[in-house]
């Protein structure tokens, strides 16, 4: 539909009121509208479930469920996840859950931390990311599902 140059267009505001404007009216550099957070319908309850799958050469992979607390990964038996490889530093990496995301960071290890074959100091993990810690390969699995609201 082609509008005439002086034809007015009806616009709606977030509060439901309307106003009229000319088609060629300048709205400035942005079309961004500020949203009143109190008017949003509320938070959507999401359940997180994440796990590490430690890949082994014999095919008997070990699966570790991850919670929302800090997890230390390394060769030391004091770490939450202890990896028995000489290439793994005693305290190699740390996994944290913050703002509904899992972060992994290198703790100044000797052989570094790799996510999807890229050396990282700290990064957000995504479903099916491949982590390498001192030659040990780990798959990160994450599931996000909506919870039923009461």
């Amino acid at each position: 539909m082609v509008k005439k140059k002086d034809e007015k267009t009806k616009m709606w505001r977030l509060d439901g009121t309307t106003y009229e404007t000319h088609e060629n009216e300048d709205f400035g550099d942005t079309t961004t509208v500020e949203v009143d957070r109190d008017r949003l319908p509320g938070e959507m309850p999401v359940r997180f479930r994440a796990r590490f799958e430690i890949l082994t050469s014999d095919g008997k992979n070990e699966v570790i469920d991850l919670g929302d607390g800090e997890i230390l990964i390394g060769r030391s038996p004091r770490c939450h996840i202890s990896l028995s490889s000489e290439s793994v530093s005693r305290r190699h990496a740390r996994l944290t859950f913050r703002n509904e995301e899992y972060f992994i960071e290198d703790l100044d290890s000797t052989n570094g931390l790799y996510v999807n074959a890229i050396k990282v100091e700290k990064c957000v993990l995504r479903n099916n990311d491949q982590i390498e810690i001192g030659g040990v390969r780990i798959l990160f699995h994450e599931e996000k599902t909506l919870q039923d609201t009461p």
Side-chain angles (χ1 to χ4, degrees):
M1 176 176 147
V2 178
K3 293 184 179 183
K4 295 179 187 173
K5 207 171 200 181
D6 62 347
E7 188 173 343
K8 292 185 177 182
T9 302
K10 188 175 274 191
M11 305 292 282
W12 281 267
R13 292 187 177 102
L14 288 176
D15 63 4
T17 62
T18 62
Y19 65 97
E20 290 184 351
T21 181
H22 289 281
E23 181 181 313
N24 59 355
E25 187 173 339
D26 183 19
F27 289 102
D29 293 338
T30 182
T31 58
T32 303
V33 178
E34 187 173 337
V35 176
D36 181 8
R37 304 271 306 160
D38 296 332
R39 298 199 55 182
L40 294 177
E43 294 184 18
M44 296 175 64
V46 177
R47 179 177 50 216
F48 292 91
R49 181 173 181 248
R51 63 189 184 279
F52 274 164
E53 183 178 359
I54 301 173
L55 305 178
T56 59
S57 58
D58 62 3
K60 297 179 182 178
N61 300 344
E62 182 181 356
V63 176
I64 300 171
D65 285 323
L66 307 172
D68 57 3
E70 180 179 280
I71 296 175
L72 290 176
I73 306 164
R75 192 177 71 239
S76 170
R78 290 183 166 177
C79 289
H80 300 101
I81 298 176
S82 183
L83 304 173
S84 58
S85 171
E86 291 298 317
S87 302
V88 176
S89 296
R90 284 187 290 273
R91 288 180 34 137
H92 200 107
R94 175 181 21 237
L95 181 75
T96 54
F97 182 73
R98 191 172 61 248
N99 296 329
E100 300 178 353
E101 294 185 307
Y102 286 90
F103 293 82
I104 192 163
E105 67 178 306
D106 185 32
L107 298 176
D108 295 323
S109 66
T110 302
N111 293 311
L113 170 67
Y114 293 83
V115 176
N116 299 324
I118 299 170
K119 188 172 185 176
V120 298
E121 291 182 16
K122 184 176 186 176
C123 75
V124 175
L125 292 177
R126 299 289 183 229
N127 189 36
N128 294 322
D129 275 349
Q130 297 180 24
I131 303 162
E132 186 180 326
I133 296 176
V136 177
R137 289 186 27 216
I138 302 170
L139 291 179
F140 174 74
H141 300 286
E142 178 181 48
E143 298 171 12
K144 295 179 183 181
T145 56
L146 290 177
Q147 292 181 353
D148 293 331
T149 54

